[in-house]
Amino acid sequence: MLRDGKIDRVELVACIATLLASWIFLPLISFFVRESYSAAWMGVLIGSLVVWPLTLLFMNLVRRFPGKGLVEVTLELAGPFFGRLMVLVFAFIFLDQAASSGRVFTEGIASVIMPRTPLSVHLAVFAAAGALAAYAGIEPIGRLSWLLFPFFLISLAILLVFNFNHIVSGSLFPLFGYGLKGIATSSVEMAGRFVAILALPILYPLLRKQATAMKDGFLGLIMSVIVGVLVTVEFVMVFPPGEAQRRLFPLFELALLVQLGTFFTHIEVVFVFFWFFASAIQLSWGLYIANYCFCRAFDLPGFRPVVPIMVVLFYALAFLPGNVIEAITLRVKTLLPFSFGFMAFALVLLWALYPFRRPKPAVESGVIRK
Amino acid sequence: MGPFKGLTRLPRRLRDLVRKENQHPQGFSLGNRPAPPSGPKPAERRGGGSEEPHFFDADAKVDRAVSRKLEENQRLLKDIFRMPENTDVLIRPVHIAALNRQAFLLYIDGMTKRETIDLDILQPLMFLSETAAGHGKAPVLDVIQKGLVPNEKVVCQDQMAKVLLEVLDGNTALFVDGEAKALTIETKGFEHRFVEKPETEVTIRGARDAFTETIRVNTALVRRRLKTPNLMVEGMRIGRVSGTQIAILYLDGLANPRLVAEVKRRLETLDVAVIHGSGDIEEYIEDAPFGIIPQTLATERPDRVAAFLAEGHVGIIVDDSPTALVVPITFSAFIHSPEDYSIRWPFGSFLRILRFLALFATLLLPATYIALANYHQEMIPTALALSIAASREKVPFPVPVEVVIMEVSFELIREAGTRIPTVIGPTIGIVGALILGQAAVQANIVSPILVIVVAITALSSSAIPNPNAGLSLRLLRFGAIGLASVLGFIGLGLGLFFLGIHLVSLQSFGVPFMSPIAPFRPPSRDVLLRGPLWSMRWRPKFVQPLDSRRAAKYVRAWARPSAGAATDQDEPS
């Protein structure tokens, strides 16, 4: 399946956009508001865009190794030991992002929609969806991403439009919030979340049309940035910054306010229904990419036997630590900056090693093969 | 092999012959030109050949040439057909006076047309043979074939196995004393149903003829709509015992040769005793045999098959089956109806949207009701929630049980309505729907609102044009009910996610089932909605037809300012 699966352009766009936009299920906005007050959206914008130049450099490196992706390039440049170690960190980043999204999303469901169902059951349902998709392979995930992506966007658009009447326009001021330091902190944390764009160089060998990979990746990134900034702006405008800091589940909070006339006053379930798909897709990609990295690192012939192991790891990671606030704090304050830092470190290291270990033209019997 | 020894399988020689003819389709070609060589040859069958057990003790008798001695042939045939125990196989002795030869006819009563035998064979041989007496020393069978038997298809056979195959098809064999060959004469004339209206794919304005159980009639119904020599109707036989005739239809020069070869490969490699109908074939050739979604389109409408052939698909018609198969197929075909093209495009599109909604209602409505009533009551507007609560006040069952009772009852009514004779079938439906529903409400077994939910679901399922797809949805509905009962909307989401993964993983003859949506292919105006006919210039690309262009750039050339100058010279696909 690893050898045969390919994803199309639109599927890649949906993949990147879903992976990068899924942070809106997390209470990151609340954290950003605490750090930069009314300028939370700036942190989102800067943090999400700052990863793009790094991605370009990664892609530039990967393209110098025909037929290979970031995982293979890392193994080739950093050697079998350090290379595998780095690839495992890549896998961990994707797995942890899936786990944190899954944990917070299911916490939201448990607190807003189905409070009597244990969190472990919600998370098990979630894990089952992701596991099946990861087991099915990259093509089904890609196609389903593309199929469900419009519903995700439409549900968000409706959410934003139907909250216009709650907007307090002055909430965006002062423009720079608590100041540049807060914005910079938020940006680094946001950039840590956008490290998921590494999916582009990792999945590069599996793209059906590699020539347009950069264009498609950028489109996915821009879509996710627009989604992130709009949600943040609206959240801050609907719940003024002082109040927004205390709201743990921004999207759910916004959904609770949506009314369709006086007849339908609680339609948050409908939104959650669609977000479930987006979140499950994000989990599927996370599991698949983690699987891919692991199997490539150890040169395993098939990825399916590893899927259950990854699902168990996902399940365990999602419950670390036990308290949701601590879990999110750990990720925002530690793992996200670490992810971004590691991305930068990996980039520097790989480019530093490149002059010494660059691929040489294959020579066979004195004839250079093209 | 027990009591069925000798009755359950064709002689080995016949089987080999069927297999051999399948490899050279022109031998049984139902079309008007020999099939081009295509695709890989059938793979060697595991356990085939000599490893197969001998059930039939006549193998050695069949595997021989026709004897010159009339009595020997007669004795052999009586032995093979277990005459006189087999009462429908007849041997009719004939004396050809003018040629001074004894002969006999072999045919199966009921499968042949008596008038043809009487007028085309017996009468010329017995009374008119003097006209041929002047042929001098010409071979007797030549004289009979060319001068005596006024039949369109008279073939000289020297192998007993071939003769038997023809006779089993409903033709008549003529054995003449002193001749080491036999003539087989086309006399097929078994009773069959005439072309009638479709029963499950009814249209208001479209054509109203449906397939019958006769393969020749069915192929003719398609050919009548595609009057082109490129329409290939290749024949083959499948089934060691049934020897069922299969016709593969496609448009040469349009259908992708790899697709045609794949269809042939799958059919040719089938090694099975009996083919009962197209349902068997469907199950044998589909890509995912455990999938719940049909991967071929079964239709009783020749116009639908013709329409698909004109897009580059391949049709499969099975003898004795009034349903043809079309491959490959995609999701959208299950919400399309021939009616869509018989009415103007806005109405066609509107009906498709309705069917699409019906599809979701069929699958999700009862489950949604359970999820709302059990888990997400806050979503229901207060007035409606009070109404539902009041209607459920005296109902003792929890909502999921109530829904399952009603759904199962409805499926029973539907099944009974299908099986019960046509005259009282509708009555059963009315009795079931009105009396049982009303009685169940009055007895406080179910709530009135649930009756409405089940009724809407039933109506929706009837709106799905394809019966197979409808069945799949009905079955999946019970899964949705189960998931919604346990986890509300989250369970429904999980179920839909699983279904989505299944759908995007499915393939029909290598074509992704969700094409052209996922994987996305350039927009076609005939997927969920139907565009104006003049705008649908291109055939669907997922079938990879050899010619993508369906219509010229300016179909309505008369409407252009330079009417008359319009040509086809638009860009190639």
Side-chain angles (χ1 to χ4, degrees):
Chain A
M1 295 296 282
L2 279 174
R3 285 188 299 274
D4 297 334
K6 292 279 181 190
I7 52 174
D8 281 338
R9 291 186 61 188
V10 291
E11 292 161 9
L12 177 68
V13 173
C15 158
I16 298 292
T18 311
L19 268 174
L20 298 185
S22 61
W23 67 271
I24 56 174
F25 299 122
L26 301 172
L28 283 181
I29 301 177
S30 309
F31 277 84
F32 296 162
V33 176
R34 275 179 218 169
E35 287 158 354
S36 50
Y37 201 64
S38 53
W41 64 274
M42 286 192 192
V44 174
L45 186 66
I46 296 169
S48 50
L49 290 179
V50 84
V51 296
W52 184 244
L54 305 187
T55 311
L56 287 177
L57 289 171
F58 269 116
M59 290 299 288
N60 194 298
L61 180 68
V62 165
R63 283 185 167 179
R64 292 163 189 252
F65 294 79
K68 291 182 178 173
L70 180 59
V71 174
E72 295 82 358
V73 170
T74 305
L75 290 171
E76 194 160 327
L77 291 180
F81 182 75
F82 287 107
R84 278 179 183 152
L85 211 58
M86 288 174 70
V87 171
L88 286 182
V89 176
F90 288 144
F92 171 77
I93 288 172
F94 280 95
L95 200 60
D96 183 65
Q97 291 204 353
S100 58
S101 290
R103 169 71 182 269
V104 177
F105 186 75
T106 48
E107 287 275 5
I109 292 174
S111 60
V112 179
I113 309 293
M114 297 176 74
R116 282 183 293 179
T117 309
L119 182 68
S120 54
V121 173
H122 284 305
L123 209 52
V125 169
F126 206 58
L132 180 83
Y135 191 82
I138 190 168
E139 282 190 347
I141 303 177
R143 287 171 191 169
L144 199 60
S145 303
W146 160 245
L147 207 58
L148 297 177
F149 189 58
F151 293 101
F152 175 53
L153 289 184
I154 290 168
S155 71
L156 284 178
I158 292 173
L159 181 81
L160 296 177
V161 169
F162 278 81
N163 268 308
F164 272 178
N165 54 330
H166 298 295
I167 280 176
V168 180
S169 55
S171 302
L172 285 181
F173 298 99
L175 195 62
F176 291 98
Y178 289 146
L180 294 180
K181 187 185 171 190
I183 295 173
T185 312
S186 303
S187 301
V188 171
E189 289 162 2
M190 192 71 241
R193 187 67 196 182
F194 269 67
V195 164
I197 202 169
L198 284 176
L200 187 62
I202 289 176
L203 296 178
Y204 187 70
L206 304 179
L207 303 183
R208 203 177 297 279
K209 204 164 184 181
Q210 295 180 337
T212 56
M214 300 297 292
K215 193 176 160 189
D216 301 333
F218 188 68
L219 188 59
L221 175 78
I222 289 298
M223 290 173 88
S224 66
V225 170
I226 291 171
V227 165
V229 169
L230 285 179
V231 169
T232 308
V233 166
E234 178 132 332
F235 183 64
V236 173
M237 291 174 86
V238 170
F239 301 101
E243 194 184 339
Q245 296 175 12
R246 295 190 293 275
R247 303 272 174 171
L248 194 58
F249 305 112
L251 274 191
F252 290 99
E253 300 281 0
L254 287 173
L256 280 169
L257 295 178
V258 175
Q259 291 184 351
L260 295 175
T262 53
F263 196 63
F264 292 106
T265 54
H266 285 282
I267 56 169
E268 62 275 4
V269 178
V270 180
F271 291 110
V272 173
F273 187 64
F274 290 114
W275 297 340
F276 173 84
F277 295 133
S279 212
I281 286 291
Q282 189 256 342
L283 167 61
S284 311
W285 278 118
L287 282 176
Y288 182 84
I289 294 171
N291 246 331
Y292 181 86
C293 292
F294 186 83
C295 295
R296 280 280 184 256
F298 295 99
D299 206 19
L300 300 181
F303 72 91
R304 283 185 166 173
V306 187
V307 171
I309 299 166
M310 286 294 165
V311 173
V312 172
L313 281 175
F314 156 80
Y315 203 69
L317 274 175
F319 279 111
L320 283 177
N323 182 316
V324 65
I325 302 291
E326 287 175 16
I328 298 306
T329 308
L330 171 73
R331 285 184 169 96
V332 173
K333 294 296 174 193
T334 311
L335 292 177
L336 291 187
F338 165 76
S339 300
F340 182 60
F342 181 76
M343 183 187 185
F345 163 74
L347 184 67
V348 172
L349 181 71
L350 294 178
W351 268 109
L353 290 171
Y354 175 72
F356 308 102
R357 299 195 173 195
R358 69 173 65 189
K360 293 170 186 170
V363 179
E364 191 176 291
S365 308
V367 179
I368 296 177
R369 285 183 295 167
K370 288 184 179 174
Chain B
M1 286 300 290
F4 301 111
K5 180 181 179 183
L7 295 177
T8 54
R9 297 177 70 140
L10 286 179
R12 173 173 303 278
R13 174 64 185 149
L14 276 185
R15 291 202 307 273
D16 292 345
L17 187 66
V18 167
R19 199 172 298 172
K20 190 178 170 186
E21 295 292 353
N22 284 344
Q23 289 171 6
H24 303 283
Q26 64 270 32
F28 286 123
S29 177
L30 304 172
N32 52 3
R33 51 187 280 195
S38 56
K41 292 297 175 194
E44 284 297 324
R45 293 187 189 125
R46 193 182 303 163
S50 59
E51 289 175 21
E52 290 184 357
H54 286 260
F55 295 101
F56 197 86
D57 56 6
D59 279 2
K61 299 166 194 169
V62 172
D63 190 12
R64 62 168 66 179
V66 176
S67 169
R68 284 184 183 278
K69 296 177 181 173
L70 195 64
E71 284 182 2
E72 191 178 319
N73 287 332
Q74 196 166 343
R75 198 167 48 247
L76 177 68
L77 289 168
K78 281 183 176 178
D79 193 20
I80 290 171
F81 282 113
R82 297 343 188 241
M83 297 167 72
E85 289 87 350
N86 244 341
T87 52
D88 62 340
V89 183
L90 299 179
I91 289 181
R92 168 73 163 86
V94 183
H95 176 66
I96 309 173
L99 300 174
N100 196 23
R101 293 287 184 98
Q102 293 295 329
F104 71 84
L105 298 177
L106 172 73
Y107 59 94
I108 298 175
D109 194 20
M111 292 188 70
T112 50
K113 203 170 182 178
R114 286 190 177 182
E115 292 80 12
T116 310
I117 295 177
D118 290 346
L119 300 177
D120 286 5
I121 306 174
L122 288 175
Q123 190 175 359
L125 291 178
M126 295 171 76
F127 304 121
L128 307 176
S129 55
E130 287 180 9
T131 57
H135 280 81
K137 292 183 179 177
V140 171
L141 290 183
D142 261 14
V143 173
I144 295 172
Q145 187 179 10
K146 293 174 181 170
L148 274 180
V149 180
N151 189 288
E152 58 178 329
K153 190 179 173 187
V154 182
V155 183
C156 212
Q157 312 277 14
D158 57 355
Q159 291 298 314
M160 192 59 89
K162 287 188 176 180
V163 174
L164 288 184
L165 212 53
E166 290 287 319
V167 170
L168 288 169
D169 260 353
N171 294 327
T172 298
L174 173 66
F175 292 84
V176 180
D177 193 22
E179 298 297 326
K181 291 180 181 176
L183 292 178
T184 55
I185 305 157
E186 173 91 18
T187 55
K188 288 190 194 83
F190 40 84
E191 293 298 323
H192 59 83
R193 193 165 60 91
F194 291 104
V195 176
E196 293 171 3
K197 287 182 181 177
E199 289 182 357
T200 57
E201 296 173 86
V202 183
T203 58
I204 296 169
R205 195 172 156 182
R208 295 183 191 179
D209 53 346
F211 286 127
T212 71
E213 286 77 11
T214 315
I215 190 168
R216 186 74 75 186
V217 174
N218 293 346
T219 55
L221 285 173
V222 176
R223 192 173 279 282
R224 203 159 62 90
R225 289 172 163 85
L226 299 172
K227 297 181 180 68
T228 164
N230 287 341
L231 174 62
M232 298 298 298
V233 185
E234 292 189 22
M236 63 168 63
R237 286 177 188 273
I238 301 176
R240 294 192 305 268
V241 173
S242 61
T244 308
Q245 278 193 342
I246 310 279
I248 302 171
L249 288 78
Y250 62 94
L251 281 174
D252 195 20
L254 176 65
N256 193 305
R258 284 186 297 156
L259 170 66
V260 177
E262 178 62 17
V263 173
K264 284 185 198 170
R265 187 182 71 83
R266 292 191 190 187
L267 288 171
E268 284 169 357
T269 49
L270 292 182
D271 189 1
V272 63
V274 176
I275 294 292
H276 294 104
S278 59
D280 292 22
I281 296 290
E282 179 181 3
E283 213 166 314
Y284 286 132
I285 63 172
E286 60 191 0
D287 292 62
F290 290 106
I292 205 166
I293 309 290
Q295 295 141 58
T296 60
L297 181 79
T299 177
E300 56 176 346
R301 300 184 62 96
D303 57 337
R304 205 157 188 213
V305 172
F308 273 106
L309 295 183
E311 302 284 10
H313 294 251
V314 174
I316 301 169
I317 296 180
V318 182
D319 200 16
D320 299 326
S321 177
T323 312
L325 300 176
V326 176
V327 292
I329 212 68
T330 57
F331 163 78
S332 56
F334 292 123
I335 57 166
H336 291 183
S337 162
E339 185 82 351
D340 303 345
Y341 304 96
S342 305
I343 53 179
R344 293 189 62 243
W345 65 270
F347 313 122
S349 292
F350 173 69
L351 291 180
R352 282 191 186 174
I353 293 170
L354 267 185
R355 282 186 222 120
F356 203 63
L357 294 176
L359 186 149
F360 278 103
T362 305
L363 184 63
L364 298 177
L365 195 57
T368 306
Y369 174 72
I370 292 174
L372 286 176
N374 258 13
Y375 293 96
H376 316 295
Q377 297 93 341
E378 76 281 356
M379 250 197 85
I380 310 173
T382 312
L384 187 59
L386 289 174
S387 171
I388 293 173
S391 72
R392 294 207 70 253
E393 195 179 11
K394 292 180 180 174
V395 178
F397 303 114
V399 178
V401 175
E402 197 187 357
V403 169
V404 169
I405 289 174
M406 280 304 285
E407 284 293 335
V408 170
S409 306
F410 181 77
E411 290 299 327
L412 275 175
I413 292 169
R414 186 198 291 256
E415 183 64 14
T418 312
R419 307 286 159 228
I420 288 172
T422 318
V423 183
I424 57 171
T427 317
I428 288 290
I430 295 167
V431 169
L434 291 181
I435 299 180
L436 281 182
Q438 185 67 23
V441 170
Q442 283 181 348
N444 292 323
I445 294 172
V446 296
S447 59
I449 199 149
L450 180 64
V451 175
I452 297 171
V453 168
V454 173
I456 294 173
T457 309
L459 284 174
S460 302
S461 68
S462 302
I464 309 291
N466 188 276
N468 280 357
L471 264 176
S472 302
L473 289 172
R474 280 158 58 193
L475 199 55
L476 287 169
R477 185 168 67 219
F478 284 96
I481 288 172
L483 285 168
S485 305
V486 179
L487 287 163
F489 268 141
I490 301 303
L492 266 186
L494 179 71
L496 285 179
F497 191 83
F498 279 10
L499 183 61
I501 284 287
H502 179 57
L503 288 176
V504 296
S505 306
L506 269 185
Q507 291 195 337
S508 173
F509 281 78
V511 173
F513 186 70
M514 292 301 287
S515 295
I517 305 168
F520 181 71
R521 294 288 174 261
S524 164
R525 295 181 184 179
D526 193 21
V527 184
L528 295 182
L529 303 179
R530 171 170 105 63
L533 279 179
W534 44 264
S535 71
M536 296 195 290
R537 296 179 50 220
W538 306 104
R539 295 191 170 96
K541 291 192 175 171
F542 54 82
V543 195
Q544 297 182 3
L546 297 183
D547 179 10
S548 292
R549 197 178 61 178
R550 187 191 276 153
K553 188 171 183 180
Y554 301 107
V555 183
R556 290 158 49 91
W558 59 268
R560 301 188 67 208
S562 55
T567 63
D568 275 15
Q569 293 172 358
D570 53 341
E571 73 278 10
S573 60

